[in-house]
Amino acid sequence: AGVLERLRPGDPVELLMAALDSYGGDYLPGYYADWALVRRRHLQEHALTLLSSLLPRLAEGERHLIPTYAKLAFKLDPGHEPSYLALIRYHLDNRNVEQARRHLGSYQEAMKDLGVEPSPEVLELVGAFALQLGWGGGGRVGGFADY
């Protein structure tokens, strides 16, 4: 936890990856004293901040790690929008349309559960990809019916 806490979002990708790879999950799981809960939440939020910084900065040879880091983010916050955005973009860039649709559905469900509207950035990403594939019309994307 100490190494993770010393890192900042702009730190080198290699350092962020090493710290997040060694992140063991919840601090003192099963222990519910107020101070432990506060520290646990702080570490979770800091890890999410670092993940938000890391995902878009992964180089071409590291992009295959996006699903792994997104999975870590979803353990900490099932509605972590930057991870959904990176994961959907990753699958669309690789023409894994069904995977992108599946993650988009998970994103939509998470946003609905939170009572939040989908991000304009995600809508723009999906819309741009839909245009490339010649999907939809009238602003609606085939297979992405909620948009």
Side-chain angles (χ1 to χ4, degrees):
V3 172
L4 185 79
E5 286 182 289
R6 287 192 295 271
L7 292 175
R8 296 294 166 250
D11 284 343
V13 167
E14 296 78 20
L15 293 177
L16 296 176
M17 288 171 59
L20 289 164
D21 289 347
S22 67
Y23 178 64
D26 284 344
Y27 178 75
L28 296 177
Y31 194 76
Y32 298 102
D34 288 343
W35 65 269
L37 293 173
V38 169
R39 177 132 171 86
R40 182 179 306 141
R41 188 68 199 146
H42 168 75
L43 289 171
Q44 289 171 340
E45 288 172 359
H46 191 64
L48 288 168
T49 298
L50 296 178
L51 284 162
S52 295
S53 171
L54 173 66
L55 288 168
R57 295 172 48 211
L58 289 172
E60 188 60 37
E62 301 163 331
R63 298 203 42 83
H64 67 281
L65 298 171
I66 287 174
T68 300
Y69 288 117
K71 184 177 178 181
L72 172 59
F74 299 144
K75 282 184 181 178
L76 301 172
D77 176 5
H80 192 246
E81 189 171 79
S83 292
Y84 276 111
L85 183 61
L87 192 56
I88 293 167
R89 181 175 284 128
Y90 168 78
H91 286 300
L92 291 177
D93 288 347
N94 289 294
R95 300 287 194 217
N96 298 327
V97 177
E98 290 308 313
Q99 288 283 38
R101 286 182 195 202
R102 187 171 61 84
H103 291 296
L104 180 63
S106 297
Y107 166 77
Q108 290 173 304
E109 191 174 310
M111 294 301 103
K112 184 178 177 183
D113 290 347
L114 294 171
V116 176
E117 289 295 316
S119 160
E121 193 173 7
V122 172
L123 296 177
E124 184 179 319
L125 172 67
V126 172
F129 188 75
L131 286 176
Q132 286 179 354
L133 293 179
W135 288 345
R140 296 183 71 78
V141 180
F144 296 97
D146 291 339
Y147 290 99

